[in-house]
Each structure stands twice: as C-alpha cells, then as structure tokens.
Amino acid sequence: MDGKMIIEKWKNVQTYEIGKMHISRGMVCQDRTFYAEANGVKAVALADGAGSKSKSEIGAEIVCQKICELLSEKFIDFLLCFEEEKTNQAKHKKNMAGLSKV
C-alpha cells in the first residue's frame, strides 16, 4: 500500500444534545445539524439556535438544510469564485455578489 487512504463508503451521523441549563428551564434544544449530498458533493452544516428567540430550533434546522442544499448544488460555482479571487479580485467580487442572490 502506498500510504494513501481511499474512502469508498461514507457514513453520516448527526446529533445534537440539550444542555443542562435548557433542561433545568424546560427549554428545547435549539441546535441543529443537517447533511446533504448532490452532484458528488457532501455538505454538513451545524447551527447554534438563538436561545433568546422562540422556535429558534426551527430556524436553525431550515438554515442548516438550505446551506447544505446550496453548497452541494453550487459547489463548483463557489469553488471557481474563490479560485478567481487569487487572480482577479474585481471578477471575484462580481461573482460573489451574484451568488449572494441565489
């Protein structure tokens, strides 16, 4: 073997755990994780829900899902934008502005 490890099968495990303070106050866990795969890209996101807002666990879940979907669907676009940053900052800024509207 040449010392390189090739991963042929990926396993995905996600979890979040309610903290002691939330338990003592009868609050739900507001943290969320999500995993998505598309176009050969695997994306993982984690969001720390805003404890001061009601239903922030729902917002955290939606954000995680949307981030993973966006990253896995538009990975090449993001990659190209960051590569162009090294050579052409004006073009990079234009590309990033366009991606922010996705």
Side-chain angles (χ1 to χ4, degrees):
M1 188 164 194
D2 62 3
K4 294 181 183 176
M5 181 172 65
I6 298 173
I7 300 173
E8 295 179 5
K9 295 181 182 180
W10 289 85
K11 293 183 180 180
N12 168 37
V13 176
Q14 302 172 62
T15 187
Y16 42 86
E17 184 174 335
I18 190 167
K20 291 179 183 180
M21 184 182 77
H22 280 65
I23 292 171
S24 69
R25 294 182 179 175
M27 298 169 67
V28 299
C29 181
Q30 296 150 329
D31 304 335
R32 290 295 184 267
T33 61
F34 196 79
Y35 168 87
E37 183 177 345
N39 306 317
V41 175
K42 296 163 180 53
V44 178
L46 167 102
D48 184 5
S52 62
K53 303 295 180 188
S54 72
K55 307 292 184 197
S56 67
E57 69 278 7
I58 296 169
E61 187 156 342
I62 291 169
V63 166
C64 284
Q65 288 176 3
K66 294 301 179 185
I67 289 292
C68 284
E69 290 169 8
L70 181 65
L71 286 173
S72 59
E73 291 171 8
K74 301 286 187 180
F75 179 77
I76 296 299
D77 294 334
F78 286 120
L79 179 64
L80 291 174
C81 285
F82 287 114
E83 286 298 314
E84 289 176 1
E85 179 182 50
K86 298 174 186 173
T87 58
N88 186 335
Q89 285 199 346
K91 190 171 184 179
H92 171 73
K93 287 179 182 179
K94 180 181 175 186
N95 288 342
M96 291 304 290
L99 286 172
S100 69
K101 296 176 184 173
V102 173

